[in-house]
Amino acid sequence: MWNFAVAVFLVELYGNSLLLTAVYGLVVAGSVLLLGAIIGDWVDKNPRLKVAQTSLIVQNSSVILCGILLMVVFQFKEDLRQMYHGWLLTMCYIMVITIANIANLASTAMSITIQRDWVVVVAGEDRSRLADMNATVRIIDQLTNILAPMVVGQIMAFGSHFIGCGFISGWNLCSMCLEYTVLWKVYQKTPALAVKGGHKEEAQELKHLQDQQDPLSGQKPSEDSQLMTETAAVEKDPTKKTGCLYQISEPFRTFRDGWVAYYNQSIFFAGMSLAFLYMTVLGFDCITTGYAYTQGLNGAILSLLMGASAISGIFGTVAFTWIRKWCGLIRTGFFSGLAQLSCLLLCVVSVFVPGSPLDLTVSPFQEMVRQLMGDGGALPEANPTPLAMLSTSMQSLTNGSTTVHEMEEMVQVESYLSVSLLFAGVIAARVGLWAFDLTVTQLIQENVIESERGIINGVQNSMNYLLDLLHFIMVILAPNPEAFGLLVIISFSFVAMGHMMYFWFAYKNLGPQLFLRCSAEQKKEADIPSLSSVV
């Protein structure tokens, strides 16, 4: 809910301009890129309940504070503009972006500890249960991403941005209390969450007790006790340096060590393959939405397409559990990657069919150079860029103007075949995309030792944000619709490179058996890459 609303609020604050939204996106991407490993290391070094509670409180408190600050700005914007020559209003903008960024970092920590650590411990050694839990969490997340913007949009449409900020602040206050209670109950019902391998002497003592009890009870040692054989000996060195310079340089060492540990993981190529999928314009983000407006699609059609995309993603999530039971985890990633690439071929074909605005005689950098040279003025109204059109569409959604409808009447499209193939490929590819995403997520969960789960997943988030940032830079360099076809081809190339990395990972672990369907008994061994990681 907040992720959708904050973009709309920032657009409205700055006079229907995307400047604040762009700055916020850059700050968020840069923060996770630089701090992902440090956040993951903090998750690893602290008790699970403390991490979850702290992340939950910081995230929701930041959203509440940011909502209150936005209410003040919306209510007294003109007065703030007159004070101190507008510097006070600028400081409010900076505070809003800073607090919202803190909320996003806390959300990152929350996602790592719950979806990448708690879920593994709760599932125990049952990999089928782990797959079902991952799929369930993803379906809930997708449904929330569909329903939350609808609720916030209706509140702001029939009320105001002031009321919308107040609603979100109140909602986060109530949800924080509810989530806190649920986390506490889950923690109480899962004793294994209280033991974190690699950081406590009590964990080692518990491990010895389990080793003595398991032979008598005939039960298999828990996942925590297995991983503790590798991590229980990790203790703080009493001779460790504690000087001021050493403490200052600790975050930099954590950043370095996190990336080195990520590189040395057995699932490195699988993680990199997932990150490469973020370098694409073939998704339902602001770029693709803006391009759709330039091709004559109205808001009603786009809302239907987004709904179809969400349904396709949910189907992919469900299909993940079926395919995994049929052919194993690693093969699920391989087949889902083939499915995604096959569907995205429709997007490549759309570049060359009638209705495509691709024009190789127009320089992709024409608009950027024109703006930098200062002789371009405003962008041409009849040929708006995706970002310009997003601003126009947001203006229509937030204050009910008819600018979008007027623009749609001006757009003359020879054929809708190109844009139809584009969105058909994007929607169909969501099935393979989400199945592949869940595959890599579970590979990381199963094959990263407990003491490194946080930092490895933190670096994975950093890699994802890095490639996502590069895709926005790519659009900034070539923003005109005539160059969108080139962006489609580049995006398909990066997705293909990502799946080639995964193919290398899969073939390295399964060999020729990758192309064969194995039995349920063989799958357990065939789908387990080496847990050893060179540190």
Side-chain angles (χ1 to χ4, degrees):
M1 182 180 293
W2 171 249
N3 291 333
F4 166 79
V6 66
V8 178
F9 290 151
L10 292 176
V11 170
E12 180 67 19
L13 276 180
Y14 208 67
N16 294 319
S17 169
L18 286 176
L19 178 61
L20 288 182
T21 306
V23 172
Y24 171 69
L26 182 63
V27 169
V28 166
S31 299
V32 177
L33 177 61
L34 295 175
L35 302 177
I38 298 174
I39 292 173
D41 184 65
W42 174 74
V43 171
D44 286 332
K45 291 182 177 179
N46 290 275
R48 289 189 175 94
L49 184 61
K50 176 184 176 182
V51 170
Q53 291 175 335
T54 303
S55 303
L56 177 66
I57 293 174
V58 172
Q59 176 189 0
N60 287 275
S61 299
S62 299
V63 172
I64 294 171
L65 180 60
C66 199
I68 295 174
L69 182 58
L70 284 170
M71 293 174 66
V72 173
V73 174
F74 280 125
Q75 188 71 19
F76 305 103
K77 183 177 180 180
E78 294 303 322
D79 295 334
L80 293 172
R81 193 190 303 275
Q82 302 299 326
M83 300 175 64
Y84 301 101
H85 305 286
W87 283 104
L88 185 58
L89 182 61
T90 302
M91 287 301 301
C92 290
Y93 292 158
I94 295 175
M95 290 177 62
V96 167
I97 292 176
T98 302
I99 297 173
N101 184 48
I102 293 174
N104 182 75
L105 293 175
S107 176
T108 301
M110 190 71 176
S111 175
I112 291 174
T113 188
I114 298 298
Q115 298 183 23
R116 302 295 188 269
D117 185 28
W118 280 45
V119 170
V120 180
V121 177
V122 172
E125 295 183 348
D126 191 341
R127 298 189 175 189
S128 295
R129 185 184 181 190
L130 177 60
D132 292 338
M133 291 178 67
N134 284 330
T136 302
V137 171
R138 189 59 53 86
I139 291 175
I140 294 174
D141 186 55
Q142 291 182 19
L143 291 175
T144 303
N145 290 334
I146 296 172
L147 298 177
M150 294 174 58
V151 174
V152 176
Q154 293 300 316
I155 292 175
M156 289 190 294
F158 293 99
S160 65
H161 291 85
F162 182 86
I163 296 176
C165 292
F167 174 79
I168 291 177
S169 297
W171 178 272
N172 276 270
L173 179 61
C174 297
S175 65
M176 178 175 61
C177 300
L178 179 61
E179 289 179 58
Y180 193 96
T181 303
V182 172
L183 284 175
W184 176 249
K185 288 187 176 297
V186 172
Y187 186 82
Q188 284 183 318
K189 293 183 178 181
T190 313
L193 290 172
V195 180
K196 199 164 190 178
H199 300 290
K200 293 183 180 181
E201 294 181 359
E202 290 81 3
Q204 190 172 7
E205 295 176 2
L206 180 60
K207 190 263 177 185
H208 292 311
L209 291 175
Q210 289 176 338
D211 287 343
Q212 295 175 1
Q213 294 174 355
D214 289 335
L216 297 177
S217 59
Q219 297 178 353
K220 199 172 184 179
S222 67
E223 178 190 32
D224 287 311
S225 64
Q226 290 179 339
L227 294 180
M228 234 175 278
T229 60
E230 301 179 13
T231 60
V234 179
E235 298 178 0
K236 292 185 177 180
D237 187 355
T239 62
K240 189 176 181 180
K241 298 179 181 179
T242 57
C244 180
L245 184 61
Y246 185 88
Q247 295 295 330
I248 293 175
S249 62
E250 184 175 0
F252 299 97
R253 292 194 310 275
T254 301
F255 179 85
R256 178 203 62 194
D257 295 342
W259 285 84
V260 171
Y262 178 78
Y263 174 76
N264 289 324
Q265 293 295 317
S266 61
I267 44 82
F268 169 72
F269 282 104
M272 284 292 294
S273 66
L274 177 62
F276 265 61
L277 302 191
Y278 282 77
M279 178 63 176
T280 178
V281 296
L282 302 176
F284 276 92
D285 57 4
C286 58
I287 306 301
T288 310
T289 303
Y291 174 76
Y293 274 116
T294 68
Q295 300 306 298
L297 298 185
N298 57 34
I301 295 177
L302 275 177
S303 63
L304 292 176
L305 292 176
M306 294 181 69
S309 173
I311 295 174
S312 177
I314 293 176
F315 180 76
T317 303
V318 176
F320 160 75
T321 59
W322 297 342
I323 301 174
R324 180 195 164 275
K325 293 177 181 178
W326 179 68
C327 63
L329 184 60
I330 292 182
R331 293 180 184 83
T332 300
F334 175 67
F335 292 135
S336 59
L338 290 178
Q340 184 187 9
L341 281 175
S342 300
C343 295
L344 291 182
L345 283 174
L346 291 175
C347 301
V348 177
V349 173
S350 72
V351 176
F352 305 100
V353 300
S356 172
L358 178 66
D359 188 355
L360 298 180
T361 62
V362 179
S363 172
F365 313 107
Q366 179 178 350
E367 296 295 343
M368 182 187 67
V369 173
R370 184 183 302 174
Q371 294 299 316
L372 291 177
M373 296 300 293
D375 59 353
L379 293 176
E381 190 172 338
N383 233 350
T385 66
L387 292 181
M389 286 315 308
L390 178 62
S391 178
T392 307
S393 64
M394 282 191 174
Q395 181 179 359
S396 173
L397 291 173
T398 54
N399 50 20
S401 70
T402 58
T403 308
V404 172
H405 300 288
E406 295 173 358
M407 184 277 303
E408 290 166 357
E409 293 177 358
M410 292 188 298
V411 175
Q412 300 296 329
V413 181
E414 297 179 359
S415 172
Y416 288 99
L417 178 60
S418 175
V419 70
S420 299
L421 286 176
L422 174 69
F423 280 95
V426 170
I427 292 173
R430 307 295 280 187
V431 177
L433 172 63
W434 285 113
F436 183 80
D437 180 85
L438 284 170
T439 298
V440 176
T441 296
Q442 185 157 343
L443 283 171
I444 296 175
Q445 290 172 332
E446 292 182 359
N447 296 292
V448 175
I449 60 175
E450 183 180 2
S451 60
E452 291 184 347
R453 278 182 198 151
I455 195 168
I456 298 302
N457 282 285
V459 175
Q460 181 65 52
N461 285 341
S462 297
M463 282 297 305
N464 296 345
Y465 270 94
L466 174 61
L467 272 297
D468 189 49
L469 187 61
L470 291 179
H471 118 266
F472 279 107
I473 294 175
M474 177 178 66
V475 176
I476 292 173
L477 294 177
N480 50 319
E482 292 82 4
F484 192 80
L486 296 178
L487 302 185
V488 169
I489 296 174
I490 294 173
S491 299
F492 180 83
S493 301
F494 270 86
V495 172
M497 284 190 290
H499 288 302
M500 287 174 64
M501 291 182 185
Y502 185 85
F503 173 77
W504 170 254
F505 163 79
Y507 193 82
K508 183 179 178 182
N509 285 274
L510 298 183
Q513 294 184 358
L514 174 64
F515 308 101
L516 303 175
R517 176 176 175 260
C518 60
S519 63
E521 290 77 12
Q522 293 171 325
K523 279 188 294 183
K524 287 188 176 181
E525 297 182 0
D527 278 350
I528 305 178
S530 175
L531 285 175
S532 61
S533 58
V534 182
V535 180

